[in-house]
């Protein structure tokens, strides 16, 4: 949200010193943002700093990342294993990548040590809800059950639930039987739940869920996960076509529209990829 993402895209297309300097100011000014999450907070601008370092090779971007990472690690609650988000006028501890724990770990894992991976794995296991070989995660730590949403539904999508946790953490979780089993159980739930009726998008749609399969394919090398990712891709194509017929137009945003779905299709063709965060 805000200028940082827009200016990052601009720098990919038409780099300039003025734009880079303004990006550095925005990232530096967001180091201690109280939201502590990917969409508005420092984890998101940390990912932008990493992307700028990859584009330019300038060490100032790593310095900005390290400053943000030090603050974010200090804010990691040792009792709950989560971060506290100040969002929408309330204080909450989210678990998924869109607003909470998984997104913070993703930002830290770009250059993390064993302690980050250990703490992340412990928290992932702590908040997993397992049943019959399947696993899901509550949207927030305060929820009493998977059906505690206002409409009584169970979230199984990228922003909240198993798909986002698996897609964010599969490549960073310890390589042991317990955590591998838990992540596969989250992937299995994602498959059995099926494509999302909400649409083809990344945030809460079929394409976003499919990235859990690509992450598990990268982790395990098991072709089953790639087959499942491509099956979701074909369903998402049909969803986009149907929505365009019904509405007379496409949807134009990255997170809830057709561009994100197109990137997912490209990754499925390539045989791997990650959710298109910076």
């Amino acid at each position: 949200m805000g200028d940082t993402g827009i200016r990052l895209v601009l720098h990919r297309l038409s780099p300039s010193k003025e734009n880079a300097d303004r990006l550095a100011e925005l990232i530096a000014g967001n180091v201690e943002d109280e939201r502590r999450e990917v969409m508005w907070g420092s984890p998101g601008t940390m990912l932008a700093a990493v992307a700028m370092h990859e584009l330019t090779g300038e060490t100032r971007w790593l310095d900005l990342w390290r400053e943000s990472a030090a603050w974010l690690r200090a804010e990691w609650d040792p009792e709950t294993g989560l971060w506290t988000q100040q969002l929408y006028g309330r204080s909450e501890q989210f678990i998924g990548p869109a607003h909470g724990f998984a997104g913070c770990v993703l930002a830290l894992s770009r250059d993390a040590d064993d302690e980050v991976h250990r703490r992340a794995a412990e928290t992932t296991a702590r908040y997993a809800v397992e049943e019959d070989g399947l696993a899901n995660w509550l949207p927030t730590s305060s929820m009493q059950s998977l059906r505690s949403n206002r409409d009584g539904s169970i979230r199984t999508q990228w922003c909240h639930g198993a798909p986002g946790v698996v897609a964010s953490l599969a490549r960073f979780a310890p390589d042991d039987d317990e955590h591998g089993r838990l992540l596969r159980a989250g992937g299995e739930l994602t498959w059995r739940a099926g494509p999302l009726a909400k649409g083809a998008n990344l945030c809460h749609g079929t394409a976003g869920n499919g990235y859990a399969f690509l992450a598990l394919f990268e982790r395990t090398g098991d072709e089953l996960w790639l087959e499942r990712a491509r099956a979701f891709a074909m369903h998402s194509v049909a969803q986009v076509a149907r929505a365009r017929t019904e509405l007379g137009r496409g949807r134009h945003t990255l997170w809830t529209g057709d561009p994100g779905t197109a990137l997912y299709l490209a990754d499925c063709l390539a045989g791997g990829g990650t959710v298109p965060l910076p």
Side-chain angles (χ1 to χ4, degrees):
M1 305 294 184
D3 290 358
T4 303
I6 296 169
R7 286 187 174 275
L8 180 59
V9 172
L10 175 61
H11 205 81
R12 291 183 186 277
L13 299 174
S14 181
S16 70
K17 181 180 183 304
E18 293 75 17
N19 188 52
D21 289 345
R22 179 56 182 149
L23 258 173
E25 291 175 0
L26 290 166
I27 295 169
N30 208 45
V31 167
E32 298 184 8
D33 187 272
E34 67 178 4
R35 286 158 282 205
R36 302 177 187 87
E37 55 88 60
V38 163
M39 297 300 181
W40 287 278
S42 59
T45 45
M46 287 166 66
L47 294 175
V50 171
M52 285 297 291
H53 179 255
E54 292 172 351
L55 285 170
T56 68
E58 296 179 17
T59 58
R60 64 168 167 168
W61 304 110
L62 283 184
D63 292 339
L64 286 168
W65 183 91
R66 292 187 180 108
E67 182 182 359
S68 293
W71 180 81
L72 192 63
R73 288 183 67 161
E75 294 290 298
W76 198 345
D77 186 342
E79 293 187 7
T80 66
L82 302 171
W83 283 266
T84 299
Q85 284 75 45
Q86 303 294 336
L87 283 169
Y88 313 119
R90 60 192 178 97
S91 178
E92 189 60 90
Q93 289 189 323
F94 288 87
I95 294 172
H99 295 306
F101 159 77
C104 292
V105 172
L106 185 63
L108 288 174
S109 293
R110 295 304 174 100
D111 186 23
D113 54 28
D114 290 341
E115 181 189 4
V116 168
H117 294 153
R118 177 187 59 78
R119 292 181 66 183
E122 290 174 354
T123 301
T124 302
R126 176 178 180 179
Y127 291 100
V129 180
E130 296 187 78
E131 182 177 334
D132 297 332
L134 308 176
N136 204 354
W137 283 263
L138 299 169
T140 70
S141 63
S142 64
M143 293 177 63
Q144 299 302 308
S145 78
L146 289 169
R147 291 193 181 276
S148 296
N149 294 297
R150 287 189 296 271
D151 60 1
S153 64
I154 296 176
R155 298 287 183 88
T156 309
Q157 50 201 45
W158 178 81
C159 51
H160 301 296
V165 172
V166 174
S168 299
L169 304 181
R171 59 185 43 84
F172 304 119
D175 188 18
D176 59 43
D177 292 341
E178 174 59 21
H179 291 97
R181 179 195 61 77
L182 194 59
L183 292 166
R184 291 193 302 274
E188 186 64 30
L189 174 72
T190 303
W191 174 251
R192 294 197 195 180
L196 290 184
K198 293 180 178 180
N201 66 83
L202 293 175
C203 185
H204 41 265
T206 302
N209 281 22
Y211 273 107
F213 305 141
L214 290 179
L216 286 169
F217 174 58
E218 179 182 321
R219 180 181 175 91
T220 68
D222 187 342
E223 293 279 344
L224 171 68
W225 298 112
L226 181 58
E227 291 173 9
R228 289 177 168 184
R230 288 173 170 169
F232 266 42
M234 296 309 297
H235 190 91
S236 70
V237 169
Q239 286 180 297
V240 169
R242 183 167 61 250
R244 289 187 171 209
T245 298
E246 292 172 353
L247 299 174
R249 59 173 174 79
R251 292 181 63 91
H252 308 302
T253 64
L254 173 65
W255 288 105
T256 61
D258 301 346
T261 305
L263 292 172
Y264 174 62
L265 297 177
D267 284 338
C268 284
L269 286 171
T274 61
V275 176
L277 291 160

